[in-house]
Amino acid sequence: MYTLAGEIVSLLFFSVSLVCSATVPLELPFNSTNFFGPDGPWQAVPISLGTPPQIINLLPGGTFFNAIPTHQLNKKCSHCGAGVYNSTKGASSSAFHNISFAAPASQLAGWIREKVNATKTQTILDYMEISKPPAFGQKVQVPHLDMMTGDWAVTYPNGRTAPLPIGYLSFGTQSGVQTFSQDQGFSGTVNGTFPYHWAFNQGLIASQSWTLHYGSVKLNIPGSLYMGGYDQSRILGDPGIYDSTEGYSLTLNSLSLAAAPGSTALPSGNQTTLLQAGDQSRASLPITIEAQAPYLYLPTQICDSIAANLPVSWNDSLQLYTYTTNLPSYPTLNTTALWLDFSFPKTTPSDLLSIKVPIQLLILTLEFPIVDIPTPYFPCRRTDNKPAVLGRAFLQAAFFGQNWGTSTFFLAQAPGPNLGGKSYVEIQDGDKGVKGSGTDWGTTWSTVWRDEGVAGASGENAGSGSSAGKKPGKGLSAGAIVGVVVGALFMLGMVAAGVFFWRRRRRRRRTHRSVHRMPSCRSRAPPPPPKGVHGVHRSPTCTSCGPPLPPSARAMDEKKHGFVEGALEIGGSRTISEVSSQEVYEVPARAENKFPVNEFPVSELPAR
């Protein structure tokens, strides 16, 4: 969870870095109040499209185009609360262009891995607006956003057909633009663009990059999406750096189901050979990461081997595993230190990147229109004849990003619910990596896990996701470093000035007090009144000046100083003698002492 102190420090650091850095990471905040999708729920990013603005929530994912549902089919859709786009509202805008090119529905079907039908698709360019992202303080408006719009209908495995419930915000292309030469009512060519490319060309961000951590609605892990940088607290350990020229393709070297030491979740012990399920010769598995797809798409034997350790059963109609909620083992899953461990090679086959996905993130919910009653399910879909894919379910626990400028993408372990404060870091145009925070993975889940062995979950068996390997990319930019130095010097100067004025004020107060200070108990006796003037003379009252003088000594002292005999008596019935006003000696306030100290008569006290 975020701490107030950590957030304040982070914001101060970020504000200081802005002083000397012309570019900053541009955050696209997720919707924190509404969640979407019939197979999640999922967090989405709200953006504004067109003029006048139309607010639409989109799931980050996909490349080459942004998939935007239109209003014709979805206007009566009860599950389409994410928003739809009406192209007729912005047709008069100078940024609006209706392109005759229409992408086939099969392209979207390949994205979401479901059957898709489309009654109407077209490419439209229009304004995209991000309303006051953090650190900018003003809206960011991207003209000519490249959008594929359509009235799409999705057919699910159980035969139900319904409008596409939510659209997708693309990660873009290598070039950052798509050029169209055929435009209705427009001669010549027009370029469709993507947010990261436009922001980079405008000098708002330092690189053509994006980073993503989907987080979790159920466990209150907020999503994170940036252009031109990342939140370092979302990276645990050293990340893996991979070539993106062939897409987001990886090699899965091993797959395990593991539990904390001492846990009873796996009576037969950790399952470390799940990758070889059904095929002992399978040493690795080619796999891709696709944020726009919802599930884990793995061979049948692998899905079945994982499911054999969970309270689930296969639902052939849904083509998914559903949880058996009336079994005693089901409620304990919410607090059990149990996770799937995906291992990928990094720089060498022996240098592995471990991404752990706790079982709590793999208890998702199917809702209408897929089912009528909310149904908890395990998101592993059998795919024997199609490539293996890790979708949004995986990205709840993984940090994922890309720098188009260097053709690299990044993958790292992401934290659990116990998040630290945000720590913004820029990605420069030539960077080929990102740097992790070093936070221990197990500690970010410590408030969730309640079974035996939780303490071991943050140790060797759980791992922190870090390992020796390729040197990570640089963290702070030069501008940010200069900004931090300038800010630190400024803060030190302010502190020094504050201390100086405080001490100066304190010194003045001391001087002022010394002028008006009354004689202390240990000061010499005051001088006697002038000759011929009689009056009452009282010594400063003090209870800690030692024992009283004996009567003989007191009488002698009074006689020496000309005290009025009988003027003061302690504990007796006598009162102070009345004297006339002419006999009263008044000492002026703040009178200067004109009597040399050595000439003061001092009473001789007898030894006690």
Side-chain angles (χ1 to χ4, degrees), residues 273-541:
T273 59
L274 295 176
L275 193 62
Q276 287 73 39
D279 186 355
Q280 293 298 321
S281 64
R282 185 190 294 125
S284 61
L285 179 68
I287 203 164
T288 60
I289 299 177
E290 297 182 7
Q292 69 277 10
Y295 312 132
L296 311 175
Y297 302 82
L298 299 170
T300 298
Q301 294 87 350
I302 295 179
C303 282
D304 287 347
S305 296
I306 301 171
N309 297 277
L310 302 174
V312 298
S313 59
W314 175 253
N315 187 310
D316 196 61
S317 174
L318 298 172
Q319 291 291 293
L320 288 167
Y321 300 85
T322 57
Y323 283 95
T324 307
T325 57
N326 58 359
L327 291 178
S329 58
Y330 174 73
T332 63
L333 287 181
N334 290 313
T335 57
T336 297
L338 180 68
W339 59 85
L340 280 175
D341 192 338
F342 298 80
S343 293
F344 309 93
K346 291 169 68 177
T347 54
T348 64
S350 60
D351 184 15
L352 297 179
L353 169 67
S354 175
I355 305 294
K356 300 172 181 63
V357 184
I359 195 64
Q360 289 79 18
L361 297 177
L362 301 177
I363 305 175
L364 297 172
T365 304
L366 295 175
E367 297 179 305
F368 184 85
I370 300 177
V371 294
D372 292 327
I373 300 175
T375 304
Y377 78 102
F378 174 63
C380 194
R381 175 162 286 181
R382 300 168 175 173
T383 53
D384 292 320
N385 300 319
K386 296 180 180 179
V389 169
L390 299 176
R392 285 193 299 278
F394 173 79
L395 293 176
Q396 295 178 103
F399 171 90
F400 181 40
Q402 180 181 20
N403 187 350
W404 286 103
T406 56
S407 299
T408 54
F409 75 93
F410 331 116
L411 188 66
Q413 178 70 61
N418 301 338
L419 291 169
K422 293 180 180 180
S423 178
Y424 308 90
V425 180
E426 283 193 295
I427 298 176
Q428 300 300 317
D429 197 35
D431 285 352
K432 292 187 176 181
V434 291
K435 187 177 181 180
S437 65
T439 302
D440 179 72
W441 174 72
T443 60
T444 68
W445 285 92
S446 60
T447 58
V448 176
W449 293 333
R450 294 287 183 268
D451 62 342
E452 293 182 65
V454 168
S458 60
E460 181 180 353
N461 291 287
S464 62
S466 62
S467 59
K470 186 175 180 179
K471 184 178 180 180
K474 62 182 179 180
L476 294 177
S477 66
I481 293 174
V482 173
V484 172
V485 173
V486 172
L489 293 175
F490 175 77
M491 291 299 293
L492 287 174
M494 292 295 291
V495 172
V499 172
F500 171 77
F501 285 112
W502 173 76
R503 295 188 65 181
R504 184 178 179 183
R505 184 177 181 184
R506 187 180 179 191
R507 190 180 300 114
R508 287 182 176 177
R509 285 184 175 178
R510 283 183 175 178
T511 304
H512 184 69
R513 287 199 202 99
S514 66
V515 172
H516 295 279
R517 186 176 295 138
M518 295 295 293
S520 66
C521 298
R522 299 183 183 274
S523 63
R524 296 180 183 271
K531 186 175 180 179
V533 179
H534 299 281
V536 178
H537 181 88
R538 295 183 177 89
S539 297
T541 302

Side-chain angles (χ1 to χ4, degrees), residues 102-111 114-119 121 148 152-153:
S106 58
Q107 192 163 358
L108 181 62
W111 270 21
E114 301 284 12
K115 294 179 180 179
V116 176
N117 297 314
T119 56
T121 61
M148 184 180 76
W152 293 298

Side-chain angles (χ1 to χ4, degrees), residues 102-167:
S106 58
Q107 192 163 358
L108 181 62
W111 270 21
I112 65 175
R113 295 184 169 263
E114 301 284 12
K115 294 179 180 179
V116 176
N117 297 314
T119 56
K120 181 181 180 181
T121 61
Q122 63 185 120
T123 300
I124 290 178
L125 310 182
D126 207 344
Y127 276 119
M128 168 189 167
E129 183 177 295
I130 306 169
S131 179
K132 294 184 179 180
F136 278 78
Q138 60 184 359
K139 63 184 179 182
V140 175
Q141 196 172 59
V142 181
H144 298 165
L145 181 72
D146 192 337
M147 304 184 294
M148 184 180 76
T149 66
D151 289 335
W152 293 298
V154 181
T155 300
Y156 299 98
N158 59 1
R160 292 191 174 191
T161 299
L164 180 72
I166 190 169

Side-chain angles (χ1 to χ4, degrees), residues 24-30 130 132-134 136 223-227 422 424:
V24 295
L26 198 163
E27 181 180 5
L28 283 73
F30 278 76
I130 306 169
K132 294 184 179 180
F136 278 78
S224 174
L225 179 63
Y226 285 84
M227 297 189 297
K422 293 180 180 180
Y424 308 90

Side-chain angles (χ1 to χ4, degrees), residues 576-580 583:
I576 298 175
S577 301
E578 297 289 332
V579 294
S580 65
E583 295 177 326

